Amino acid sequence: MSTSTLLLLFVFVYFVGLLVISYFTSRNADNQSFFIGNRKSKWWLVAFGMIGTSLSGVTFISVPGTVGKMTEGAYKFGGFEYYMLVIGFFIGYFIVAFVLLPLYYKMNLTSIYTYLGNRFNVEAHKIGSIFFIISRSIGATARLFLVVNVLQIFLLSNLGVPFWVTSAIILIMVLLYTFEGGVKTIVITDTLQTSFMILSLVGCIVYILSHLNLSAGQAYDVLASKDYTHILNTDFHSKTYFLKTILGGMFITIAMTGLDQEMMQKNISVDNLHNSKKNMLTFAVTLLLVNFAFLFLGGLLYLFAQSNGAEYGQIVDIVSGKTSNVFGFKDAAGNITNMMGDDLFPYLSLNNYFPIFIAVIFIIGLISALFPSADGALTAVTSSYCVDLLNLNEDEKRSEKQKKKLRMRIHLIFTVIFFVLIMIFKAIDDKSIVYLIMEVAGYTYGPLLGLFAFGILTKYQIHKKYGILVVTLLAPVLTYLINHFVSEFSTYKIGVELIIINGLLTFIGLWLIRFKGLKLVK
């Protein structure tokens, strides 16, 4: 049996195991779906399960690849610059825990976008949900694409399976897995998969250190000597300048966690506010450690590749004449097969540079990273559409059987939408998708950030019909134009602070159309 066949068989067995777990947990009477409020989850179980949702395949593949990726700024390599974004995440989780969670518990929300309806009007409620659905769909499919693309390139292409078939099969797996599962199913299976992912991370680090005959401290010293470990980017004009990266990371967390129905539904499934805060802060500290471990793994992967003959080089596009940096192994003709960035980890794992047990560990981690982000996202966008846009919970005209049938139909429609988005990401084929996701989030989550900020920080109302809609549509457009002209006519590069600009423009727009005669809000 070939290595590829063995690994594909393992993927199948793994998925069947998930279906079995999903089936038995969904039989439990306490396992309420995302469509109904549920406050019975253990805080520590939710915290651990949320790690898998937050990390996903992007962290497992893309983050390690950034360490030795060559940049165009003042620093030769990306190094550990990503960690400044993680520090921003960490600060953002405290704001979510002490500002947003008390608000959600006080209002006893099923959908967090109900707050916008109560604070402003139905229009704000609907717009908040729509922006969440767009944001979550794009972010989830970007993560899905990364994993599907790895499986396609390194396992299925040799078998003649087209990319669209691979994508369809993976989505059908996710669809089957999420049909019956509710909050308890998602939390339990996400916890199991997070455990597998972290064990895979540790296993890979231990093996590479052993192979290189280095201790962790010695390996760090070697990485530092190659300039792979610098954390602070002090180049103000760079996209990854450390201060704006920290600020951008903080607001990305507030938006992508605190204003995200999927993530918050898991948090408010905890029995009380105190335990929900403990969940959030435990989750925040754990992510600091896990992300540093992934960056350390990234450095080790570059060292391992170089010890086996990989090297940096340049290639010239014969059509455009553009020169690109590459990293990889030379073939007989002296050409380098580029694996710098997102391709590094899968290339080494699935091309016999690692022993078979490491390839299996890699697949375990990869699939464990795929499902927690995909299952929750598909369930959450379906939930938000049904609860926020269709008001299905308050619909007394339909029977429970009719409601369930409608939810399943919408679930299937979103699966098709996810498929289309994956094919779009395939056409884009970005080699460092972690930063692409952050950029897209800046455009899609910015209006949500501005809406919630205006609601929490001011006491003004908005009464102009379609006023909120116009502002939330204009803000991303203006943000795009600002980003374009700043990049075109200056040396300054806008990075993850894009979400701050977008949120601020939304806030200013709402301020301009505020109703000045009424300030007091109960």
Side-chain angles (χ1 to χ4, degrees):
M1 183 182 293
S2 68
T3 302
S4 296
T5 305
L6 179 64
L7 293 174
L8 286 173
L9 180 62
F10 183 83
V11 171
F12 176 76
V13 172
Y14 188 100
F15 170 68
V16 171
L18 285 179
L19 279 184
V20 171
I21 294 171
S22 177
Y23 175 79
F24 282 107
T25 55
S26 67
R27 302 301 94 192
N28 192 305
D30 289 337
N31 185 40
Q32 299 181 37
S33 76
F34 275 82
F35 308 108
I36 305 172
N38 177 18
R39 295 253 169 102
K40 298 184 179 181
S41 300
K42 301 296 184 183
W43 70 266
W44 54 269
L45 195 65
V46 174
F48 203 63
M50 281 176 62
I51 295 169
T53 304
S54 295
L55 295 179
S56 76
V58 171
T59 313
F60 198 76
I61 296 175
S62 195
V63 170
T66 64
V67 175
K69 187 172 182 180
M70 299 188 75
T71 67
E72 297 177 354
Y75 300 89
K76 188 174 182 181
F77 304 112
F80 285 13
E81 290 177 8
Y82 179 80
Y83 204 66
M84 286 297 97
L85 198 63
V86 178
I87 296 296
F89 296 162
F90 181 74
I91 298 170
Y93 291 127
F94 277 82
I95 296 173
V96 172
F98 291 100
V99 176
L100 293 177
L101 280 179
L103 179 67
Y104 298 153
Y105 270 83
K106 181 181 178 181
M107 298 183 69
N108 195 30
L109 301 179
T110 300
S111 166
I112 63 174
Y113 308 114
T114 305
Y115 164 76
L116 295 176
N118 294 338
R119 175 62 179 81
F120 297 112
N121 50 39
V122 174
E123 179 187 340
H125 183 176
K126 305 291 186 187
I127 289 171
S129 176
I130 290 170
F131 270 100
F132 161 71
I133 291 171
I134 293 171
S135 303
R136 207 69 180 96
S137 297
I138 294 174
T141 49
R143 294 173 173 88
L144 263 171
F145 158 73
L146 188 62
V147 177
V148 172
N149 202 42
V150 167
L151 295 174
Q152 176 67 27
I153 292 172
F154 297 102
L155 293 181
L156 293 166
S157 286
N158 294 333
L159 301 177
V161 179
F163 178 82
W164 71 268
V165 173
T166 305
S167 302
I169 291 173
I170 292 292
L171 281 171
I172 289 171
M173 288 180 174
V174 174
L175 181 67
L176 291 172
Y177 171 53
T178 56
F179 253 136
E180 292 294 335
V183 170
K184 188 172 182 180
T185 300
I186 298 294
V187 168
I188 290 174
T189 52
D190 281 4
T191 301
L192 288 173
Q193 291 171 99
T194 300
S195 302
F196 290 143
M197 191 193 324
I198 292 176
L199 287 172
S200 300
L201 166 65
V202 173
C204 291
I205 289 175
V206 170
Y207 170 77
I208 296 175
L209 287 174
S210 174
H211 179 84
L212 297 175
N213 294 315
L214 296 172
S215 66
Q218 290 171 331
Y220 188 86
D221 290 339
V222 174
L223 292 174
S225 69
K226 292 180 175 290
D227 201 25
Y228 281 160
T229 59
H230 77 273
I231 295 179
L232 295 180
N233 183 339
T234 56
D235 179 5
F236 177 75
H237 297 90
S238 172
K239 279 190 173 184
T240 53
Y241 175 61
F242 78 100
L243 283 180
K244 68 181 183 182
T245 301
I246 292 173
L247 280 174
M250 181 179 74
F251 282 99
I252 282 172
T253 290
I254 293 170
M256 294 184 71
T257 299
L259 308 182
D260 185 291
Q261 173 66 16
E262 177 192 353
M263 298 295 283
M264 284 298 96
Q265 184 64 55
K266 290 179 180 180
N267 273 275
I268 61 180
S269 73
V270 177
D271 54 358
N272 60 64
L273 175 60
H274 176 69
N275 283 339
S276 186
K277 287 180 179 178
K278 282 201 297 185
N279 153 53
M280 180 60 68
L281 299 183
T282 302
F283 166 61
V285 172
T286 306
L287 278 186
L288 279 180
L289 301 174
V290 173
N291 274 285
F292 187 84
F294 271 110
L295 288 168
F296 183 60
L297 171 62
L300 293 179
L301 289 170
Y302 279 97
L303 290 185
F304 179 87
Q306 289 173 46
S307 72
N308 283 274
E311 58 185 78
Y312 286 95
Q314 291 186 327
I315 57 173
V316 179
D317 190 303
I318 58 174
V319 177
S320 65
K322 183 179 178 181
T323 301
S324 301
N325 296 311
V326 294
F327 175 79
F329 300 99
K330 283 186 176 180
D331 58 20
N335 299 315
I336 293 178
T337 300
N338 188 27
M339 60 180 186
M340 185 165 59
D342 292 354
D343 289 341
L344 175 66
F345 199 1
Y347 190 95
L348 293 175
S349 299
L350 304 177
N351 277 291
N352 300 318
Y353 288 97
F354 288 146
I356 184 64
F357 78 91
I358 292 295
V360 170
I361 285 176
F362 172 78
I363 288 294
I364 291 173
L366 187 64
I367 301 302
S368 297
L370 182 153
F371 279 101
S373 59
D375 59 20
L378 189 57
T379 306
V381 294
T382 303
S383 165
S384 188
Y385 189 89
C386 291
V387 172
D388 297 311
L389 300 183
L390 298 184
N391 296 319
L392 206 58
N393 282 359
E394 288 76 36
D395 189 347
E396 297 179 356
K397 295 180 180 180
R398 290 186 175 94
S399 65
E400 286 303 315
K401 185 177 180 180
Q402 290 174 322
K403 289 181 181 180
K404 183 175 181 179
K405 186 177 179 180
L406 178 59
R407 286 195 293 262
M408 293 304 102
R409 189 181 304 149
I410 293 169
H411 205 60
L412 183 59
I413 290 171
F414 274 114
T415 305
V416 175
I417 292 173
F418 275 31
F419 173 79
V420 172
L421 290 172
I422 288 174
M423 299 307 293
I424 291 173
F425 277 108
K426 177 62 176 174
I428 297 171
D429 201 21
D430 192 284
K431 290 299 181 183
S432 188
I433 208 163
V434 62
Y435 287 113
L436 177 63
I437 289 174
M438 297 304 171
E439 183 172 350
V440 171
Y443 290 110
T444 58
Y445 277 99
L448 269 178
L449 184 64
L451 260 175
F452 272 86
F454 191 83
I456 294 170
L457 299 178
T458 78
K459 294 183 177 181
Y460 289 107
Q461 289 284 4
I462 306 293
H463 289 327
K464 290 186 178 180
K465 191 174 183 181
Y466 304 125
I468 294 176
L469 176 62
V470 171
V471 168
T472 52
L473 289 178
L474 276 178
V477 174
L478 290 174
T479 303
Y480 174 82
L481 292 174
I482 291 171
N483 187 24
H484 173 74
F485 285 112
V486 168
S487 300
E488 190 74 21
F489 299 107
S490 76
T491 56
Y492 183 85
K493 302 296 180 184
I494 295 177
V496 291
E497 75 270 30
L498 205 66
I499 193 170
I500 302 175
I501 298 170
N502 198 355
L504 183 60
L505 289 173
T506 303
F507 189 97
I508 292 171
L510 294 173
W511 179 268
L512 293 175
I513 64 169
R514 71 193 187 281
F515 181 66
K516 300 178 183 179
L518 180 64
K519 292 186 179 181
L520 182 62
V521 177
K522 293 182 180 181

